């Protein structure tokens, strides 16, 4: 009697020849394969990010140009928007609340505060949506995801640099002559850009997982605005506060960077209508460096740790 046998099905994907019998892990180790999308080490990740620097700049420039393509005034809105904010704040805090009475340079003082704070505000808001609004790009291309929040911070820096031309004009029209301190604007904005990048990286990771955070950010920014002395001198308002809370307000990074640029461009105040040149406390530069470097490092590492998760799910 003939006995028929049924052969086992042969897997076409199973390794053959010299690789027969090896597990997937053994095959990966043998040929130096790694998991697709696996997070690289911090140093390797930084090298990849540096290699994409031209992409970051080109992406930021293209988004900046496209941002106002549907508006008739186009790129003019980059300057008009902060100026309109200055006009509203001047009407309320300068004219109605009389903050301008003791300072003939209040217009320049106010505009500096608005322009500098808006730089941080816009970087945080755009950074929060950097991942969630670009999932198509993330899923289609392989690149370090930190490129996106950094690119959006670059967009805000480009906008600020364009607006600084108008800000210089406002300062000059307010009767302040240019001086040697104006060069200090460069390191101040550099440190603020580092701080903004770190904060944008932190909120990019949070926003990628919790989209509702973008709805809360405007309220937080508005509160931060009023606590940073943009429209009035915050030191005059807190002089009777307990020392601890005075120190907390002194360490406010938004106030630190605003004060740096104000001292650089307009190092003059009026005390009972007598002109006084400000002697800027050197510890403010220490605060600015600590905030800039510290927040950049913390934000970068915090974002990198979730590199494998962006665009998944």
């Amino acid at each position: 009697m003939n006995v028929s046998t049924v052969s086992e099905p042969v897997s076409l994907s199973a390794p053959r020849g010299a690789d027969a019998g090896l597990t997937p892990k053994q095959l990966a180790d043998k040929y130096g394969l790694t998991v697709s999308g696996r997070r690289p080490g911090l140093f390797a990740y930084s090298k990849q990010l540096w290699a994409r620097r031209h992409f970051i700049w080109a992406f930021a420039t293209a988004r900046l140009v496209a941002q106002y393509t549907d508006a008739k005034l186009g790129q003019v809105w980059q300057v008009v928007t902060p100026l309109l904010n200055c006009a509203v704040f001047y009407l309320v805090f300068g004219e109605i609340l009389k903050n301008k009475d003791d300072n003939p340079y209040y217009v320049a003082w106010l505009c500096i505060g608005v322009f500098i704070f808006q730089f941080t505000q816009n970087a945080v808001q755009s950074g929060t949506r950097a991942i969630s609004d670009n999932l198509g790009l993330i899923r289609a291309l392989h690149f370090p995801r930190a490129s996106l929040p950094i690119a959006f911070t670059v967009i805000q820096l480009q906008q600020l640099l364009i607006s600084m031309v108008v800000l210089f004009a406002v300062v000059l029209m307010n009767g302040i002559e240019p001086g040697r301190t104006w060069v200090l604007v460069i390191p101040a904005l550099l440190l603020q850009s580092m701080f903004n990048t770190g904060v944008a990286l932190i909120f990019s990771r949070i926003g990628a997982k919790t989209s509702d955070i973008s709805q809360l950010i405007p309220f937080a920014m508005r509160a931060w605005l009023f606590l940073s002395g943009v429209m009035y001198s915050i030191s005059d308002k807190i002089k009777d506060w307990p020392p601890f809370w005075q120190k907390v307000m002194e360490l406010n990074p938004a106030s630190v960077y605003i004060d740096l640029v104000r001292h650089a461009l307009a190092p003059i105040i009026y005390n009972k209508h007598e002109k006084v040149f400000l002697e800027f406390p050197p510890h403010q530069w220490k605060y600015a460096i600590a905030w800039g470097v510290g927040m950049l490092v913390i934000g970068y590492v915090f974002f990198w740790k979730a590199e494998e998760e962006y665009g998944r799910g």
Side-chain angles (χ1 to χ4, degrees):
M1 179 181 293
N2 294 329
V3 179
S4 60
T5 58
V6 179
S7 60
E8 293 290 335
V10 179
S11 174
L12 298 178
S13 61
R16 300 180 181 181
D19 296 333
L22 295 180
T23 65
K25 184 179 185 307
Q26 290 171 333
L27 285 170
D29 293 339
K30 180 178 178 179
Y31 293 102
L33 302 178
T34 59
V35 178
S36 177
R38 183 179 181 180
R39 183 186 70 197
L42 188 59
F43 181 73
Y45 187 74
S46 301
K47 287 182 64 178
Q48 293 178 14
L49 191 61
W50 175 252
R52 304 305 196 283
R53 62 189 183 279
H54 302 298
F55 162 75
I56 293 173
W57 186 262
F59 179 84
T61 304
R63 289 295 293 261
L64 179 62
V65 172
Q67 189 170 349
Y68 299 100
T69 52
D70 294 333
K72 291 185 177 180
L73 293 179
Q75 304 299 316
V76 176
W77 282 109
Q78 297 180 32
V79 176
V80 172
T81 300
L83 285 178
L84 289 176
N85 285 330
C86 290
V88 172
F89 291 145
Y90 178 80
L91 174 63
V92 175
F93 293 93
E95 293 290 344
I96 297 178
L97 298 181
K98 305 298 182 182
N99 281 288
K100 71 179 182 64
D101 290 351
D102 295 330
N103 185 1
Y105 300 125
Y106 182 74
V107 173
W109 190 87
L110 172 66
C111 288
I112 292 170
V114 171
F115 277 63
I116 299 304
F117 182 84
Q118 198 167 54
F119 177 31
T120 295
Q121 178 183 20
N122 292 341
V124 173
Q125 290 178 334
S126 60
T128 303
R129 303 187 303 270
I131 299 298
S132 57
D133 287 356
N134 293 277
L135 290 178
L137 181 63
I138 290 173
R139 291 168 179 167
L141 300 174
H142 176 70
F143 61 93
R145 307 317 188 198
S147 302
L148 291 174
I150 293 175
F152 280 99
T153 305
V154 172
I155 291 174
Q156 304 308 323
L157 178 60
Q158 290 174 332
Q159 286 186 320
L160 178 66
L161 294 179
I162 295 172
S163 303
M164 288 299 291
V165 177
V166 177
L167 183 58
F168 287 143
V170 170
V171 172
L172 292 172
M173 291 171 61
N174 204 188
I176 299 175
E177 298 180 357
R180 291 177 297 179
T181 57
W182 279 32
V183 74
L184 296 176
V185 171
I186 297 174
L189 293 184
L190 177 61
L191 291 170
Q192 187 184 9
S193 298
M194 295 168 63
F195 172 81
N196 291 353
T197 302
V199 176
L201 287 165
I202 291 174
F203 279 95
S204 291
R205 175 176 172 178
I206 297 173
K209 292 297 182 183
T210 311
S211 58
D212 290 345
I213 191 69
S214 61
Q215 305 301 323
L216 298 175
I217 288 296
F219 299 99
M221 289 295 103
R222 196 171 300 124
W224 197 9
L225 170 73
F226 289 108
L227 291 172
S228 300
V230 174
M231 297 80 65
Y232 45 79
S233 174
I234 198 71
S235 59
D236 295 339
K237 308 297 181 182
I238 65 172
K239 57 185 178 182
D240 295 328
W241 288 21
F244 173 79
W245 292 110
Q246 289 189 33
K247 191 65 176 180
V248 170
M249 298 298 290
E250 181 183 333
L251 291 172
N252 179 356
S255 296
V256 168
Y257 293 117
I258 289 172
D259 288 345
L260 286 179
V261 179
R262 277 176 174 163
H263 178 263
L265 293 181
I268 304 170
I269 61 172
Y270 270 73
N271 184 17
K272 297 180 180 180
H273 304 288
E274 179 181 354
K275 185 184 291 188
V276 177
F277 287 88
L278 294 174
E279 291 186 5
F280 197 70
H283 64 261
Q284 287 291 83
W285 281 105
K286 297 178 182 178
Y287 295 160
I289 294 171
W291 275 118
V293 176
M295 192 59 66
L296 179 60
V297 172
I298 293 172
Y300 185 67
V301 173
F302 180 75
F303 184 91
W304 162 76
K305 281 185 173 294
E307 178 71 11
E308 297 172 315
E309 302 174 10
Y310 303 125
R312 307 267 178 148

